[in-house]
Amino acid sequence: MKLLEDRIRKDGIIREGNVLKVDSFINHQMDIKLFEEMAKEWKRLFADKKINKILTIEASGIGIAAIVAREFNVPVVFAKKSKSINLDDNNFSTKIQSFTHSKIYDVIVSKKFLSPEDHILIIDDFLANGCALLGLTDLVESAGATVEGIGIAIEKGFQQGGKIIREKGYQLESLAIVESMNAADNTITFR
Ligand code: G4P
Ligand code: NA
Ligand code: NA
């Protein structure tokens, strides 16, 4: 999506270690007009899918997912990064490995908000190694619900997540796929 790529080129900041900071329009301050355009693009890309619910994960997926939910006119649920005290029979739970923070954490969704009748569009801001997404698809499948598609704002194409998710057969639509980035001269290329 050219609008998002242009914005990343203009306002994204490349840090050492292949980290892309997008704090001025996604991860801290949020550009809702941009989110609306992204939501319209996903609406077009998933036009043939019967989607009745959006699923994301806290924290930074929530803003984008809320705008997407309005575009699709459906509710949005966010998976919670849980303390183990919440791991009971009332929740679906899974474990997610974070490479960035080198730890494993539990993620939950209440059984009240995911059921076999649900046709889910998963939304998140970043796709890197894919651990967060695999956790979300695991939660949906635990509920017997259907993953209709996955929408990602920024995929880091040089990490493995996109390949893993596509090989599992999911329709993954990333609006910007970063092929490479260089902190030294602040240059970025898109797939
Ligand atoms: P993975 O889920 O794809 O395996 O990602 P990984 O563990 O590597 O990333 C951990 C966190 O860092 C995730 O946020 C992810 O969205 C974010 N992330 C990964 N690469 C980048 C990057 O280049 N730039 C930015 N801005 N974020 C990146 P999180 O910690 O789960 O959550 P939250 O920030 O939504 O609370
Ligand atoms: Na994040
Ligand atoms: Na995120």
Side-chain angles (χ1 to χ4, degrees), residues 63-77:
I64 298 172
I67 302 302
V68 173
R70 189 172 63 182
E71 181 68 30
F72 281 78
N73 199 25
V74 298
V76 52
V77 176

Side-chain angles (χ1 to χ4, degrees), residues 5 8-9 14 18 20 127 154-160 166 174 176-182 187-191:
E5 291 179 2
I8 294 167
R9 278 213 178 81
I14 301 159
N18 276 327
L20 176 63
L127 169 56
I154 304 172
E155 175 179 335
K156 294 161 85 181
F158 50 87
Q159 289 184 243
Q160 287 307 298
R166 290 186 179 94
S174 301
I177 304 181
V178 178
E179 196 71 78
S180 66
M181 46 190 197
N182 186 331
T187 53
I188 188 159
T189 59
F190 295 100
R191 187 175 299 170

Side-chain angles (χ1 to χ4, degrees), residues 27 59-61 81 124-126:
N27 283 149
S60 50
K81 293 171 181 169
D124 208 355
D125 56 344
F126 269 91

Side-chain angles (χ1 to χ4, degrees), residues 15-58:
R15 289 279 159 80
E16 290 299 332
N18 276 327
V19 172
L20 176 63
K21 299 285 281 184
V22 289
D23 281 9
S24 66
F25 58 105
I26 293 181
N27 283 149
H28 196 13
Q29 177 169 260
M30 297 188 286
D31 183 339
I32 300 303
K33 194 71 211 160
L34 174 65
F35 290 5
E36 285 169 351
E37 295 304 317
M38 291 161 54
K40 280 185 206 157
E41 182 66 2
W42 281 314
K43 189 86 201 299
R44 191 181 67 77
L45 291 163
F46 294 109
D48 60 332
K49 297 290 172 77
K50 283 189 327 221
I51 289 159
N52 75 326
K53 197 168 282 186
I54 308 296
L55 177 67
T56 188
I57 181 167
E58 65 180 356

